[in-house]
Amino acid sequence: MFSHVMLGANDIEKSRGFYDAILGVLGHKPGVFDDKGRCFYLSDRGVFALTRPINGETATHGNGMTIGFVASSPELVDAWHAAGVAAGGQTCEEPPGVRSSGGRTLYLAYLRDPSGNKICATHYMSVA
Protein backbone atom coordinates (compact mmCIF):
# COMPACT_ATOMS: atom_id res chain seq x y z
CA MET A 1 0.00 0.00 0.00
CA PHE A 2 2.80 2.47 0.79
CA SER A 3 5.88 3.28 -1.26
CA HIS A 4 7.77 4.83 1.64
CA VAL A 5 7.60 6.29 5.12
CA MET A 6 9.81 9.23 6.08
CA LEU A 7 10.25 10.38 9.67
CA GLY A 8 11.66 13.63 10.92
CA ALA A 9 14.69 13.29 13.19
CA ASN A 10 16.68 15.93 15.03
CA ASP A 11 19.87 13.87 15.30
CA ILE A 12 20.19 11.75 12.16
CA GLU A 13 23.29 9.87 13.40
CA LYS A 14 21.66 8.93 16.72
CA SER A 15 18.46 7.92 14.93
CA ARG A 16 20.42 5.92 12.37
CA GLY A 17 22.13 3.97 15.16
CA PHE A 18 18.75 3.23 16.73
CA TYR A 19 17.11 2.15 13.47
CA ASP A 20 20.18 0.16 12.35
CA ALA A 21 19.82 -1.82 15.60
CA ILE A 22 16.09 -2.53 15.46
CA LEU A 23 15.81 -3.02 11.70
CA GLY A 24 18.93 -5.20 11.69
CA VAL A 25 17.14 -7.60 14.06
CA LEU A 26 14.41 -7.90 11.40
CA GLY A 27 16.97 -8.67 8.68
CA HIS A 28 17.32 -5.24 7.05
CA LYS A 29 20.63 -3.70 6.01
CA PRO A 30 22.00 -0.56 7.71
CA GLY A 31 20.71 2.81 6.54
CA VAL A 32 22.49 4.65 3.74
CA PHE A 33 22.81 8.40 3.34
CA ASP A 34 21.99 10.42 0.25
CA ASP A 35 23.67 13.69 -0.76
CA LYS A 36 21.09 15.67 1.27
CA GLY A 37 21.98 13.91 4.52
CA ARG A 38 18.83 11.79 4.64
CA CYS A 39 19.12 8.17 5.78
CA PHE A 40 17.33 5.44 3.79
CA TYR A 41 16.50 1.81 4.57
CA LEU A 42 15.75 0.10 1.28
CA SER A 43 13.87 -3.14 0.73
CA ASP A 44 12.02 -4.79 -2.12
CA ARG A 45 8.74 -3.96 -0.34
CA GLY A 46 9.30 -0.26 0.38
CA VAL A 47 11.54 2.40 1.85
CA PHE A 48 11.86 3.77 5.37
CA ALA A 49 13.75 7.07 5.69
CA LEU A 50 14.94 9.63 8.23
CA THR A 51 15.35 13.33 7.52
CA ARG A 52 15.78 16.65 9.23
CA PRO A 53 12.65 18.72 8.53
CA ILE A 54 13.15 20.69 5.30
CA ASN A 55 11.57 23.78 6.87
CA GLY A 56 14.50 23.96 9.31
CA GLU A 57 12.31 23.57 12.38
CA THR A 58 12.62 20.92 15.08
CA ALA A 59 11.30 17.45 14.23
CA THR A 60 8.35 16.46 16.41
CA HIS A 61 6.48 13.21 16.78
CA GLY A 62 2.91 12.86 15.55
CA ASN A 63 0.33 12.60 18.33
CA GLY A 64 -1.71 9.46 17.62
CA MET A 65 0.75 8.21 14.99
CA THR A 66 2.42 4.79 15.03
CA ILE A 67 4.62 3.15 12.41
CA GLY A 68 4.64 -0.65 12.53
CA PHE A 69 7.32 -3.04 11.31
CA VAL A 70 6.48 -6.68 10.48
CA ALA A 71 8.29 -9.42 12.40
CA SER A 72 8.16 -13.10 11.50
CA SER A 73 7.91 -14.40 15.08
CA PRO A 74 7.21 -13.34 18.66
CA GLU A 75 10.89 -13.98 19.42
CA LEU A 76 11.90 -11.41 16.78
CA VAL A 77 9.46 -8.91 18.28
CA ASP A 78 11.13 -9.41 21.67
CA ALA A 79 14.62 -9.11 20.11
CA TRP A 80 13.51 -5.94 18.25
CA HIS A 81 12.27 -4.43 21.51
CA ALA A 82 15.44 -5.35 23.41
CA ALA A 83 17.66 -3.93 20.64
CA GLY A 84 15.63 -0.73 20.64
CA VAL A 85 15.91 -0.23 24.39
CA ALA A 86 19.64 -0.96 24.24
CA ALA A 87 20.01 1.63 21.44
CA GLY A 88 18.27 4.41 23.37
CA GLY A 89 14.60 3.78 22.68
CA GLN A 90 11.98 3.96 25.40
CA THR A 91 9.29 1.38 26.04
CA CYS A 92 5.77 2.72 25.72
CA GLU A 93 2.31 1.20 26.03
CA GLU A 94 2.19 -2.26 27.60
CA PRO A 95 5.16 -4.64 27.70
CA PRO A 96 5.65 -6.81 24.59
CA GLY A 97 2.95 -9.43 24.34
CA VAL A 98 -0.23 -10.81 22.79
CA ARG A 99 -3.07 -8.44 21.90
CA SER A 100 -6.38 -9.02 20.11
CA SER A 101 -7.94 -6.51 17.76
CA GLY A 102 -10.64 -6.80 15.12
CA GLY A 103 -10.72 -10.60 15.29
CA ARG A 104 -6.93 -10.85 14.90
CA THR A 105 -4.36 -12.03 17.41
CA LEU A 106 -1.06 -10.14 17.33
CA TYR A 107 2.19 -10.19 19.23
CA LEU A 108 3.30 -6.56 19.60
CA ALA A 109 5.99 -4.37 21.16
CA TYR A 110 6.04 -0.56 21.20
CA LEU A 111 8.91 1.91 21.51
CA ARG A 112 9.58 5.63 21.26
CA ASP A 113 12.60 6.37 19.04
CA PRO A 114 15.22 9.03 19.90
CA SER A 115 12.99 11.75 18.39
CA GLY A 116 9.88 10.56 20.26
CA ASN A 117 8.20 8.82 17.31
CA LYS A 118 6.05 5.85 18.34
CA ILE A 119 6.96 2.64 16.53
CA CYS A 120 5.85 -0.96 16.81
CA ALA A 121 6.95 -4.46 15.84
CA THR A 122 4.08 -6.76 14.91
CA HIS A 123 3.84 -10.50 14.45
CA TYR A 124 0.46 -11.68 13.10
CA MET A 125 -0.49 -14.82 15.02
CA SER A 126 -3.96 -15.24 13.51
CA VAL A 127 -6.11 -13.26 11.15
CA ALA A 128 -9.92 -13.33 11.15
Side-chain angles (χ1 to χ4, degrees), residues 57-82:
E57 295 188 21
T58 301
T60 59
H61 58 81
N63 188 19
M65 181 201 84
T66 303
I67 295 174
F69 297 98
V70 174
S72 61
S73 70
E75 294 79 17
L76 271 180
V77 172
D78 288 338
W80 176 93
H81 185 265

Short mmCIF file of all heavy atoms in Angstrom, two decimals, residues 57-82:
data_model
loop_
_atom_site.label_atom_id
_atom_site.label_comp_id
_atom_site.label_asym_id
_atom_site.label_seq_id
_atom_site.Cartn_x
_atom_site.Cartn_y
_atom_site.Cartn_z
N GLU A 57 12.81 23.60 11.01
CA GLU A 57 12.31 23.57 12.38
C GLU A 57 12.62 22.23 13.03
O GLU A 57 13.06 21.29 12.38
CB GLU A 57 10.81 23.87 12.39
CG GLU A 57 10.53 25.30 11.91
CD GLU A 57 9.09 25.71 12.10
OE1 GLU A 57 8.39 25.10 12.92
OE2 GLU A 57 8.68 26.64 11.40
N THR A 58 12.38 22.14 14.32
CA THR A 58 12.62 20.92 15.08
C THR A 58 11.65 19.82 14.65
O THR A 58 10.45 20.08 14.48
CB THR A 58 12.44 21.20 16.59
OG1 THR A 58 13.37 22.23 16.95
CG2 THR A 58 12.68 19.97 17.43
N ALA A 59 12.17 18.59 14.50
CA ALA A 59 11.30 17.45 14.23
C ALA A 59 10.49 17.14 15.48
O ALA A 59 11.01 17.20 16.59
CB ALA A 59 12.13 16.23 13.84
N THR A 60 9.22 16.85 15.31
CA THR A 60 8.35 16.46 16.41
C THR A 60 7.61 15.19 16.03
O THR A 60 7.40 14.91 14.85
CB THR A 60 7.33 17.56 16.74
OG1 THR A 60 6.53 17.82 15.59
CG2 THR A 60 8.02 18.84 17.18
N HIS A 61 7.22 14.44 17.04
CA HIS A 61 6.48 13.21 16.78
C HIS A 61 5.01 13.54 16.55
O HIS A 61 4.50 14.56 17.00
CB HIS A 61 6.64 12.21 17.92
CG HIS A 61 6.20 12.73 19.25
ND1 HIS A 61 4.88 12.75 19.63
CD2 HIS A 61 6.90 13.26 20.27
CE1 HIS A 61 4.79 13.26 20.84
NE2 HIS A 61 6.01 13.58 21.25
N GLY A 62 4.33 12.67 15.83
CA GLY A 62 2.91 12.86 15.55
C GLY A 62 2.07 12.26 16.67
O GLY A 62 2.20 11.09 17.00
N ASN A 63 1.21 13.07 17.27
CA ASN A 63 0.33 12.60 18.33
C ASN A 63 -0.72 11.68 17.71
O ASN A 63 -1.44 12.07 16.80
CB ASN A 63 -0.33 13.78 19.02
CG ASN A 63 -1.11 13.36 20.24
OD1 ASN A 63 -0.89 12.28 20.78
ND2 ASN A 63 -2.02 14.21 20.68
N GLY A 64 -0.78 10.44 18.17
CA GLY A 64 -1.71 9.46 17.62
C GLY A 64 -1.13 8.64 16.47
O GLY A 64 -1.79 7.77 15.93
N MET A 65 0.12 8.89 16.11
CA MET A 65 0.75 8.21 14.99
C MET A 65 1.60 7.05 15.49
O MET A 65 2.27 7.16 16.51
CB MET A 65 1.65 9.20 14.25
CG MET A 65 2.34 8.61 13.04
SD MET A 65 3.81 9.56 12.60
CE MET A 65 5.00 8.83 13.70
N THR A 66 1.55 5.93 14.77
CA THR A 66 2.42 4.79 15.03
C THR A 66 2.85 4.21 13.69
O THR A 66 2.04 4.07 12.79
CB THR A 66 1.70 3.69 15.82
OG1 THR A 66 1.20 4.22 17.03
CG2 THR A 66 2.63 2.53 16.13
N ILE A 67 4.12 3.86 13.59
CA ILE A 67 4.62 3.15 12.41
C ILE A 67 4.97 1.74 12.87
O ILE A 67 5.69 1.55 13.85
CB ILE A 67 5.86 3.85 11.82
CG1 ILE A 67 5.45 5.22 11.29
CG2 ILE A 67 6.48 3.00 10.72
CD1 ILE A 67 6.59 6.07 10.82
N GLY A 68 4.43 0.75 12.16
CA GLY A 68 4.64 -0.65 12.53
C GLY A 68 5.55 -1.37 11.55
O GLY A 68 5.44 -1.18 10.34
N PHE A 69 6.42 -2.20 12.10
CA PHE A 69 7.32 -3.04 11.31
C PHE A 69 6.91 -4.50 11.50
O PHE A 69 6.65 -4.92 12.63
CB PHE A 69 8.77 -2.84 11.75
CG PHE A 69 9.27 -1.44 11.54
CD1 PHE A 69 9.28 -0.52 12.58
CD2 PHE A 69 9.72 -1.03 10.29
CE1 PHE A 69 9.75 0.77 12.39
CE2 PHE A 69 10.18 0.27 10.09
CZ PHE A 69 10.19 1.16 11.14
N VAL A 70 6.87 -5.27 10.43
CA VAL A 70 6.48 -6.68 10.48
C VAL A 70 7.64 -7.52 10.99
O VAL A 70 8.78 -7.34 10.57
CB VAL A 70 6.05 -7.17 9.08
CG1 VAL A 70 5.79 -8.67 9.09
CG2 VAL A 70 4.83 -6.43 8.60
N ALA A 71 7.32 -8.45 11.89
CA ALA A 71 8.29 -9.42 12.40
C ALA A 71 7.73 -10.82 12.15
O ALA A 71 6.53 -11.03 12.25
CB ALA A 71 8.53 -9.20 13.88
N SER A 72 8.61 -11.75 11.87
CA SER A 72 8.16 -13.10 11.50
C SER A 72 7.89 -14.02 12.68
O SER A 72 7.42 -15.13 12.49
CB SER A 72 9.18 -13.75 10.56
OG SER A 72 10.43 -13.86 11.19
N SER A 73 8.17 -13.57 13.91
CA SER A 73 7.91 -14.40 15.08
C SER A 73 7.83 -13.54 16.34
O SER A 73 8.36 -12.42 16.36
CB SER A 73 9.03 -15.44 15.26
OG SER A 73 10.22 -14.81 15.67
N PRO A 74 7.20 -14.07 17.39
CA PRO A 74 7.21 -13.34 18.66
C PRO A 74 8.63 -13.13 19.19
O PRO A 74 8.93 -12.10 19.79
CB PRO A 74 6.40 -14.25 19.61
CG PRO A 74 5.49 -15.01 18.70
CD PRO A 74 6.30 -15.24 17.45
N GLU A 75 9.51 -14.10 18.96
CA GLU A 75 10.89 -13.98 19.42
C GLU A 75 11.60 -12.80 18.75
O GLU A 75 12.39 -12.09 19.39
CB GLU A 75 11.67 -15.28 19.15
CG GLU A 75 11.18 -16.46 19.97
CD GLU A 75 9.89 -17.13 19.43
OE1 GLU A 75 9.52 -16.90 18.25
OE2 GLU A 75 9.25 -17.86 20.20
N LEU A 76 11.31 -12.58 17.47
CA LEU A 76 11.90 -11.41 16.78
C LEU A 76 11.32 -10.11 17.32
O LEU A 76 12.03 -9.11 17.41
CB LEU A 76 11.68 -11.50 15.27
CG LEU A 76 12.75 -12.22 14.49
CD1 LEU A 76 12.41 -12.24 12.99
CD2 LEU A 76 14.12 -11.61 14.70
N VAL A 77 10.04 -10.11 17.67
CA VAL A 77 9.46 -8.91 18.28
C VAL A 77 10.19 -8.60 19.58
O VAL A 77 10.57 -7.45 19.83
CB VAL A 77 7.94 -9.09 18.53
CG1 VAL A 77 7.39 -7.93 19.35
CG2 VAL A 77 7.18 -9.23 17.22
N ASP A 78 10.42 -9.62 20.41
CA ASP A 78 11.13 -9.41 21.67
C ASP A 78 12.57 -8.93 21.42
O ASP A 78 13.05 -8.03 22.11
CB ASP A 78 11.15 -10.69 22.50
CG ASP A 78 9.78 -11.03 23.09
OD1 ASP A 78 8.93 -10.12 23.22
OD2 ASP A 78 9.58 -12.21 23.43
N ALA A 79 13.24 -9.52 20.44
CA ALA A 79 14.62 -9.11 20.11
C ALA A 79 14.64 -7.68 19.60
O ALA A 79 15.54 -6.90 19.92
CB ALA A 79 15.23 -10.07 19.09
N TRP A 80 13.66 -7.30 18.77
CA TRP A 80 13.51 -5.94 18.25
C TRP A 80 13.38 -4.97 19.41
O TRP A 80 14.05 -3.94 19.46
CB TRP A 80 12.28 -5.90 17.35
CG TRP A 80 11.89 -4.58 16.79
CD1 TRP A 80 12.27 -4.06 15.59
CD2 TRP A 80 11.00 -3.61 17.37
NE1 TRP A 80 11.67 -2.83 15.39
CE2 TRP A 80 10.90 -2.55 16.48
CE3 TRP A 80 10.29 -3.56 18.56
CZ2 TRP A 80 10.11 -1.42 16.73
CZ3 TRP A 80 9.51 -2.44 18.83
CH2 TRP A 80 9.42 -1.39 17.91
N HIS A 81 12.51 -5.29 20.36
CA HIS A 81 12.27 -4.43 21.51
C HIS A 81 13.54 -4.29 22.35
O HIS A 81 13.92 -3.17 22.72
CB HIS A 81 11.12 -5.00 22.34
CG HIS A 81 10.71 -4.13 23.47
ND1 HIS A 81 11.20 -4.29 24.75
CD2 HIS A 81 9.88 -3.06 23.51
CE1 HIS A 81 10.68 -3.37 25.54
NE2 HIS A 81 9.87 -2.61 24.81
N ALA A 82 14.20 -5.39 22.62
CA ALA A 82 15.44 -5.35 23.41
C ALA A 82 16.52 -4.53 22.71
O ALA A 82 17.21 -3.72 23.35
CB ALA A 82 15.94 -6.77 23.69
#
